[in-house]
Amino acid sequence: MLAEKCIKAVSEPLHLAQGEYRLGVSVGIAVCDGSCDADSLLQAADKAMYAAKGNGRGCYVIAPARASGTGSDLSAPGGTAGTTRPAGSAHS
């Protein structure tokens, strides 16, 4: 999955003259069937990203698919609906 590849790439050590640094990233993913607008898709991805951040470094969250014309939003507390997995887990 692309999210796992991005997390892995960013987590590689960054070697600078001052020392070695490690970065982390959280990824929020949202999809729609083509009938939603860009703002609602971005809002769903943003909520999924904050849910991933809440789960710790190196995670991604996939927001639930939005049905055509429903305007539904993430319904789980704190936007945690969908699939949450740490990158590289056995279930990825």
Side-chain angles (χ1 to χ4, degrees), residues 37-76:
D37 60 57
D39 288 336
S40 62
L41 188 61
L42 183 58
Q43 184 178 26
D46 192 51
K47 286 184 179 184
M49 188 252 332
Y50 279 105
K53 287 173 82 79
N55 291 330
R57 179 179 295 174
C59 290
Y60 65 92
V61 171
I62 302 172
R66 298 171 63 106
S68 176
T70 64
S72 64
D73 207 352
L74 296 176
S75 58

Side-chain angles (χ1 to χ4, degrees), residues 1-30:
M1 168 173 261
L2 181 59
E4 291 174 336
K5 290 179 182 179
C6 291
I7 292 167
K8 183 178 178 187
V10 171
S11 69
E12 292 294 320
L14 182 61
H15 301 282
L16 300 175
Q18 298 85 357
E20 181 178 294
Y21 298 90
R22 292 192 174 270
L23 303 174
V25 65
S26 301
V27 178
I29 302 167

